[in-house]
Amino acid sequence: MARPRIYVTQPVAPTAIDRLRAVADVEVNPDTLHKVTKDELLAKVPTLDILYCLLHDKVDSDIIAAGKRLRAIASMKITPSDIDVAAATARRIPVTVISPIVTEATADIHFALMLAVARRVIEGDRLVRAGVFPGAQSAHLLGSWVYGKTIGLIGGGGRIGRAVAKRAQGFSMRTIYWTPRRKPEGEEQAAGLEYVPYDQLFSESDFVSVHAPLNAETRHLVGERELRLMKPTAFLVNSSRGPIVDEKALVHALAERRIAGAGLDVYENEPQVEPGLIAMQNVVLTPHLGSAVTELRESMANVVADNILAVLEGRKPPNCWNPEIYR
């Protein structure tokens, strides 16, 4: 029998690829900067048994319909947004995901954004590279404290919010949080969290820290009204999902100096970034680096490989999003 064919939309850990190549013919898009287009996927998918896709890939009903021999859509995401799960389920094609193992890495990048924007790290780096060294006690790049300040976690009862709260303890920060469903008092005490009403979080925080999941209720959860509640010395930091923040409202708040700055790893219309943000010195921008840690990405890639190998062996994959197809 012909070996199964697998297509991987961007390079992933070699250990995972080697496992798959032991049982299948595997093709990998070799360019880490090239996101495979819909037309490219439409051309590839008719001959594929498995599509191995990444967070930025969109797999719509057209692509699924073209995959006449598809046996699985294996995603390296925690939830299969941008995959038409209904279309896959109608064809009894399993859609697989990864377990939620990105918590600590995302909390790291979140705290890095806080430190970078508050202490003007990126501006300092650019000056040094341009041959400008203002002097060790120059007032040219005065920044803001992180130590001892108040951080307000929106949706802070989740895994990443609690991981950020743990890091905040090391900086002797007061950690307040808001979520639609308050945590039990014992959990709050264990995590060092203090529950406050939504508006109070914005008015008291030195760092408004976004950790809410994206859904219909949280889209533009942080908008013009909320930004007006913030202190002029406060910063907004988002490593959750871009559409939770109204980027146009954020640009206006920054331009009018109603808040001090922002650190963003996610964007409302990825990969496009609001042009006004790019022009601002008091904004630190990273290209969705939350899980970009070598060891973590290797683990993620091998979870996807586990799912694919299960499908090829005729087993229900361990991280199947639409398990009803097996009933």
Side-chain angles (χ1 to χ4, degrees):
M1 292 179 61
R3 282 161 61 92
R5 295 193 62 189
I6 301 172
Y7 181 66
V8 186
T9 60
Q10 267 195 9
V12 297
T15 53
I17 297 298
D18 289 345
R19 292 175 64 201
L20 297 175
R21 283 189 167 140
V23 297
D25 293 332
V26 181
E27 179 185 356
V28 182
N29 161 32
D31 189 346
T32 56
L33 291 177
H34 176 64
K35 295 185 288 293
V36 177
T37 66
K38 178 174 180 176
D39 286 344
E40 288 171 329
L41 279 178
L42 286 171
K44 291 276 186 190
V45 78
T47 62
L48 298 180
D49 295 278
I50 308 287
L51 176 61
Y52 183 146
C53 53
L54 278 59
L55 188 148
H56 51 257
D57 295 314
K58 292 178 171 56
V59 183
D60 62 16
S61 58
D62 295 336
I63 293 168
I64 293 169
K68 300 299 184 184
R69 50 187 274 188
L70 268 182
R71 296 168 62 183
I73 300 166
S75 173
M76 202 160 77
K77 302 172 67 171
I78 296 172
T79 58
S81 55
D82 294 327
I83 296 175
D84 193 329
V85 177
T89 302
R91 292 263 316 277
R92 303 186 70 82
I93 298 171
V95 175
T96 67
V97 294
I98 64 169
S99 47
I101 57 177
V102 303
T103 299
E104 300 300 337
T106 304
D108 278 354
I109 197 70
H110 195 91
F111 227 86
L113 288 168
M114 287 172 54
L115 288 165
V117 70
R119 295 303 307 272
R120 303 177 70 175
V121 172
I122 307 302
E123 294 174 80
D125 176 85
R126 289 172 181 154
L127 279 182
V128 172
R129 293 177 188 277
V132 179
F133 205 104
Q137 290 190 335
S138 168
H140 188 67
L141 285 178
L142 290 177
S144 302
W145 282 104
V146 175
Y147 177 86
K149 291 293 188 176
T150 296
I151 181 171
L153 310 176
I154 299 175
R159 291 182 303 272
I160 296 171
R162 292 198 302 270
V164 169
K166 186 182 297 184
R167 286 156 176 76
Q169 291 176 1
F171 282 76
S172 297
M173 301 181 82
R174 175 191 176 211
T175 305
I176 60 179
Y177 86 106
W178 172 88
T179 182
R181 290 172 294 279
R182 182 176 178 177
K183 294 294 180 182
E185 184 177 350
E187 290 187 28
E188 290 178 351
Q189 292 177 350
L193 297 171
E194 175 188 344
Y195 181 84
V196 298
Y198 187 61
D199 286 1
Q200 184 179 335
L201 181 143
F202 285 91
S203 62
E204 291 189 4
S205 296
D206 299 297
F207 297 89
V208 173
S209 183
V210 181
H211 304 287
L214 178 61
N215 53 46
E217 288 74 33
T218 61
R219 186 174 295 272
H220 285 189
L221 185 66
V222 180
E224 180 72 22
R225 190 188 77 85
E226 290 75 21
L227 293 165
R228 287 190 179 278
L229 295 173
M230 291 174 63
K231 305 175 187 178
T233 55
F235 300 87
L236 178 76
V237 184
N238 186 11
S239 63
S240 180
R241 288 292 180 264
I244 295 171
V245 176
D246 182 340
E247 283 186 4
K248 291 188 183 299
L250 176 59
V251 168
H252 292 155
L254 290 163
E256 295 171 6
R257 299 188 179 277
R258 286 188 275 113
I259 65 172
L264 306 173
D265 188 45
V266 292
Y267 305 92
E268 190 170 354
N269 298 296
E270 289 186 25
Q272 285 77 37
V273 179
E274 185 68 28
L277 293 171
I278 295 173
M280 292 177 172
Q281 292 294 312
N282 58 339
V283 181
V284 175
L285 307 169
T286 52
H288 209 141
L289 296 180
S291 69
V293 175
T294 301
E295 299 92 334
L296 173 59
R297 287 283 178 84
E298 181 166 22
S299 296
M300 292 165 65
N302 277 283
V303 170
V304 180
D306 291 341
N307 288 324
I308 291 172
L309 292 172
V311 170
L312 295 180
E313 292 167 7
R315 296 182 287 112
K316 177 183 172 183
N319 298 282
C320 185
W321 191 263
N322 54 345
E324 62 270 24
I325 68 170
Y326 289 96
R327 298 189 188 124

